[in-house]
Amino acid sequence: MTDNDDEETQSIMRPPNLLKALADASEQATKPQQEALQQLLTGATGATTSATPDLGNLSEQLGTMSQMATFKTRVQSGGRISIPDAEREALDIEDGDIVQTVVVPVKRKRDEDDE
């Protein structure tokens, strides 16, 4: 290490210089995040830079997710399931509407011997 390197290190470590260095590093780290958030909120899907990731249609997907509900229900005779009143009301689902479901078994009522 040369004397010049030692002086430079001491200069950076002085409180005013250290604070400026930290502020610069923080700004460089948060700028891409701010740009990505701005893109997400505006729904922009244009060209991207190396600092701004391509979010595609993420804002559209988030909008779709706000129209989803997750709940547990029992399978009734004939394979029927019911959508609880609160979910139907929240999602504005009425009789005759077509909905998409994803079924994930949670707990089986039957014995393992029945298989």
Side-chain angles (χ1 to χ4, degrees), residues 82-111:
S82 295
I83 302 172
D85 291 338
E87 275 71 16
R88 287 199 315 263
E89 187 176 313
L91 298 175
D92 193 28
I93 297 172
E94 296 178 355
D95 288 353
D97 288 351
I98 297 174
V99 297
Q100 181 172 338
T101 59
V102 176
V103 178
V104 179
V106 176
K107 181 180 176 186
R108 298 191 187 276
K109 187 176 177 182
R110 60 184 181 264
D111 292 334

Side-chain angles (χ1 to χ4, degrees), residues 4-5 14 18 49 66 72-73 104:
N4 190 27
D5 290 339
R14 290 189 187 117
L18 179 60
T49 66
S66 70
K72 294 180 179 122
T73 188
V104 179

